[in-house]
């Protein structure tokens, strides 16, 4: 069995734009050395920095090779003794690069409804949304679809308060993606904000008739098409000022697909982090943030938090697993 992987540099130096490889029985190494299969030429990258590995269950993983600066997957550092699962559209951090992973052929496990068996995490549950309903998808009841559909039900609600809450949630989730995507397309901040308003107002006008059907495509792709149309419309409005012929299409960057996926993944990770943070004690989250995200040594984290080093490593392991659960659920819901 082999897994095909493409790594696309969505931020960092211009020395590495994209690299494609197949992962089979042998690891694929990444690093500064010319001996690596994927070379990342920068002093912040170790000679042998990290490796892509195919695990026994058919899933793709990332292993740090004892690098000086460390490796991250979805903003969380990879410990020296672990292999972290890497799925399609995850972000890998190595030195100055942030690499978007395009993965095909990976035996990725299906997303499951949220669960939390870690006694130390102390989840704080809120009342279930009264608009959440059950839907049948491919002959079965799908609670993920019910959760996903709740925001669209609120957008169409007759009650002013419910609809306003739905729009607040919609704007909170997707405004950064839309505006960031417009800026990456070459629009200045003011015009990027105008694109955001165009998309939100346009979606508001059709929300009463909007029916979300995942069988016809994911919402992520739908919102991308709407945003691209708004960006093209904004470029067309410039034509009289810059002497562009009316029939000419605007020249957009070649990496727009990758930049959209980067914006989407980053905002999704931000939402996932916020959700998991609300489920744990402040001290536990602080230890995870210091040790798991910033890479502060466990001894220093223990001195600040009063937790043992073993407890800090355990919290990092559990919260990393929980973040993956939330991210998988969000991707199942939104595409």
């Amino acid at each position: 069995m082999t897994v095909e992987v493409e790594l696309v540099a969505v931020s960092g130096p211009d020395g590495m734009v994209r690299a494609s490889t197949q992962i089979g029985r042998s690891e694929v190494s990444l690093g500064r050395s010319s001996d690596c299969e994927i070379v990342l030429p920068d002093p912040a990258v170790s000679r042998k920095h990290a490796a892509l590995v195919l695990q026994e269950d058919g899933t793709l993983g990332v292993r740090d090779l004892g690098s000086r600066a460390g490796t991250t997957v979805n903003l969380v550092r990879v410990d020296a003794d672990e292999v972290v699962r890497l799925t399609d559209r995850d972000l890998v951090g190595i030195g100055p690069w942030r690499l978007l992973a395009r993965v095909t052929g990976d035996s990725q496990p299906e997303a499951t409804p949220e669960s939390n068996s870690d006694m130390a995490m102390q989840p704080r549950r809120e009342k279930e949304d009264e608009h959440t309903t059950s839907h049948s998808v491919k002959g079965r009841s799908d609670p993920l679809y019910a959760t996903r559909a709740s925001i669209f039900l609120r957008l169409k609600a007759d009650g002013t308060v419910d609809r306003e809450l739905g729009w607040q949630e919609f704007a909170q989730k997707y405004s950064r993606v839309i505006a960031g995507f417009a800026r990456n397309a070459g629009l200045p901040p003011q015009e990027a904000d105008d694109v955001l308003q165009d998309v939100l107002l346009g979606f508001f006008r059709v929300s009463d008739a909007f029916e979300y059907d995942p069988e016809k495509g994911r919402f992520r792709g739908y919102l991308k098409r709407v945003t691209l149309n708004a960006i093209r419309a904004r470029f067309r409005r410039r034509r009289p000022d810059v002497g562009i012929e009316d029939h000419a299409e605007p020249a957009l960057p070649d990496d727009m697909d990758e930049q959209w996926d980067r914006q989407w993944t980053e905002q999704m990770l931000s939402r996932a982090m916020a959700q998991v943070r609300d489920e744990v004690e402040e001290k536990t989250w602080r230890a995870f943030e210091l040790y798991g995200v910033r890479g502060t040594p466990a001894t220093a984290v223990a001195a600040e938090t009063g937790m043992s080093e073993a407890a800090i490593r355990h919290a990092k392991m559990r919260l990393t697993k929980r973040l993956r659960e939330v991210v998988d659920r969000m991707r199942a819901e939104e595409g």
Side-chain angles (χ1 to χ4, degrees):
M1 177 181 178
T2 60
V3 174
E4 295 184 3
V5 184
E6 182 182 36
L7 296 177
V8 183
V10 290
S11 66
D14 295 331
M16 184 276 211
V17 179
R18 63 180 68 221
S20 299
T21 187
Q22 288 188 334
I23 316 296
R25 293 183 178 180
S26 301
E27 296 183 354
V28 171
S29 59
L30 299 88
R32 192 177 74 247
S33 171
S34 59
D35 294 334
C36 293
E37 283 81 6
I38 298 177
V39 179
L40 303 172
D42 189 273
V45 178
S46 296
R47 291 181 58 80
K48 295 279 189 175
H49 196 107
L52 302 176
V53 301
L54 186 62
Q55 302 183 85
E56 292 184 0
D57 61 358
T59 60
L60 182 65
V62 175
R63 184 165 67 91
D64 186 80
L65 299 178
S67 65
R68 295 189 310 274
T71 304
T72 65
V73 173
N74 291 340
L75 308 181
V76 179
R77 291 173 64 89
V78 180
D79 286 340
D81 57 348
E82 69 174 338
V83 176
V84 174
R85 180 164 67 93
L86 184 69
T87 64
D88 189 48
R89 289 182 280 122
D90 281 350
L91 291 173
V92 180
I94 295 180
W97 277 279
R98 185 165 290 182
L99 308 171
L100 177 74
R102 299 287 203 188
V103 183
T104 56
D106 182 14
S107 301
Q108 300 179 23
E110 293 185 3
T112 57
E114 294 181 29
S115 62
N116 186 356
S117 58
D118 186 3
M119 297 298 293
M121 295 183 66
Q122 300 182 12
R124 296 194 292 271
R125 301 294 184 187
E126 294 183 356
K127 183 178 178 181
E128 185 172 310
D129 192 314
E130 61 181 334
H131 293 291
T132 299
T133 57
S134 178
H135 293 261
S136 177
V137 178
K138 293 184 178 179
R140 61 181 177 84
S141 178
D142 188 348
L144 293 178
Y145 183 83
T147 304
R148 173 176 58 234
S150 65
I151 185 174
F152 301 110
L153 291 174
R154 284 196 294 275
L155 294 180
K156 299 169 63 175
D158 294 332
T160 302
V161 174
D162 285 340
R163 195 172 190 191
E164 182 177 343
L165 289 174
W167 276 108
Q168 288 177 357
E169 181 184 357
F170 185 90
Q172 184 180 27
K173 284 185 175 182
Y174 305 120
S175 289
R176 288 177 57 190
V177 180
I178 297 166
F181 187 57
R183 288 192 295 270
N184 286 326
L187 293 176
Q190 181 57 53
E191 290 194 56
D193 289 341
D194 291 340
V195 165
L196 171 61
Q197 294 303 315
D198 291 344
V199 172
L200 293 180
L201 288 174
F203 199 86
F204 181 83
R205 284 193 292 267
V206 303
S207 61
D208 285 341
F210 183 78
E211 296 289 345
Y212 179 55
D213 184 358
E215 297 297 314
K216 296 180 180 179
R218 292 295 193 180
F219 179 71
R220 176 176 61 91
Y222 170 82
L223 189 61
K224 175 187 170 185
R225 290 193 299 274
V226 171
T227 304
L228 270 174
N229 289 338
I231 291 171
R232 291 189 177 103
R234 183 62 53 176
F235 273 112
R236 292 188 188 105
R237 293 177 192 176
R238 296 177 173 182
R239 286 173 176 170
D241 297 328
V242 296
I244 299 177
E245 296 181 5
D246 288 343
H247 64 274
E249 281 294 316
L252 298 177
D254 293 334
D255 63 348
M256 291 301 290
D257 286 344
E258 288 80 10
Q259 289 300 336
W260 175 262
D261 284 343
R262 173 199 175 182
Q263 293 290 336
W264 191 276
T265 299
E266 287 180 345
Q267 66 85 25
M268 181 183 61
L269 291 175
S270 177
R271 288 161 48 203
M273 288 276 191
Q275 176 176 329
V276 175
R277 180 172 187 168
D278 285 344
E279 296 175 350
V280 300
E281 291 182 333
E282 183 61 32
K283 181 173 69 172
T284 304
W285 180 260
R286 180 62 176 166
F288 169 74
E289 187 177 46
L290 289 171
Y291 178 71
V293 178
R294 299 185 187 179
T296 305
T299 52
V301 179
E304 177 173 333
T305 62
M307 298 171 62
S308 68
E309 293 184 31
I312 291 167
R313 294 188 176 92
H314 179 75
K316 189 259 184 181
M317 179 183 66
R318 293 295 186 179
L319 288 177
T320 300
K321 178 182 177 182
R322 176 63 179 146
L323 279 168
R324 173 57 73 180
E325 290 176 351
V326 175
V327 167
D328 286 349
R329 175 185 59 80
M330 289 179 174
R331 282 179 171 158
E333 292 176 2
E334 303 168 16

